[in-house]
Each structure stands twice: as structure tokens, then as C-alpha cells.
Amino acid sequence: MNVESYTHFCLQQPGATASFPFDKHTLVFKVMGKIFTLASIFPFERLNVKCDPEKAIALREAYPSVLPGYHMHKKHWNTILINQELTDHQIFEWIKDAYWLVVNQLPQKTKKALSTQNK
């Protein structure tokens, strides 16, 4: 995986936006103002994804390249090391899960606004 494919995939999610709110190296993806993934792009070696707490623990136990979220709430975030252990497909699925986890937690009014944006 490279930063271009990561960015392209994240921006394909409905209503997703990209920004650098923290510094010029941390690329943050949000949906309706809520973060679902972020990564340092210089160098692009790891990324953080929001995760269901139970799934977060299971992924950490199954993959040495999945760690508790670096500089994040460890219960709700995983850090994924980008290396040969994990496929792009796996990482993309976890990003998609993170996106939907955030969307499903949005208030109904916000979800409705998101759905009308994508028509």
C-alpha cells in the first residue's frame, strides 16, 4: 500500500474529506466532521483506524502488525503497520469498517444530510 492508494480509497467513501488539521504530515479522513482514519504521510509506514472495541482486540491478537492506537484512545483505535504481513485488501476492509462505524454513530439528522449529499 502507498499513500496514493490509501488516499484514493478513503476519498471513495461517501462524504469523506481529507485535511491536515494537526500538522503538514498527518493526513486525516473524516465523514461529517468525524475522523475514521488518519496517517502520517512522511514516511507512510502506519495508519490509525477507528475500530469496534471487541474487533480491535481480536485483530491485535491475530496480527502482529495491528497495535493499540498510537496517540489515540486504545479501546477504539488500532494502529496498522504497513508491511508485507497485511494485504491492501485487508487494510481497505478495516478502513471501510471504520467509516461505517463512524457513520452508524452519527445522529439521524446528520445521516440524512450525508445521504442527500451523495445523490
Side-chain angles (χ1 to χ4, degrees), residues 6-108:
Y6 169 70
T7 300
H8 179 74
F9 182 80
C10 291
L11 289 175
Q12 286 182 322
Q13 306 315 302
T17 60
S19 64
F20 291 89
F22 305 121
D23 57 40
K24 62 183 179 179
H25 300 288
T26 307
L27 179 57
V28 176
F29 292 94
K30 297 179 181 182
V31 57
M32 302 306 283
K34 302 290 184 183
I35 299 172
F36 64 95
T37 184
L38 58 109
S40 176
I41 59 171
F42 300 113
F44 184 67
E45 298 174 338
R46 67 185 78 212
L47 57 102
N48 287 353
V49 293
K50 189 158 180 114
C51 195
D52 171 78
E54 290 181 18
K55 184 174 182 178
I57 292 168
L59 292 174
R60 292 175 203 160
E61 290 173 352
Y63 302 99
S65 296
V66 179
L67 309 168
Y70 180 70
H71 285 308
M72 305 298 280
H73 191 295
K74 313 262 185 269
K75 181 178 179 181
H76 298 280
W77 288 86
N78 277 341
T79 294
I80 300 169
L81 304 178
I82 300 167
N83 57 35
Q84 300 301 314
E85 177 191 14
L86 303 170
T87 67
D88 289 3
H89 178 75
Q90 286 173 301
I91 296 171
F92 289 151
E93 285 300 312
W94 297 336
I95 292 169
K96 196 182 321 179
D97 289 348
Y99 170 85
W100 285 109
L101 182 64
V102 170
V103 168
N104 289 333
Q105 293 174 343
L106 293 171
Q108 282 300 102

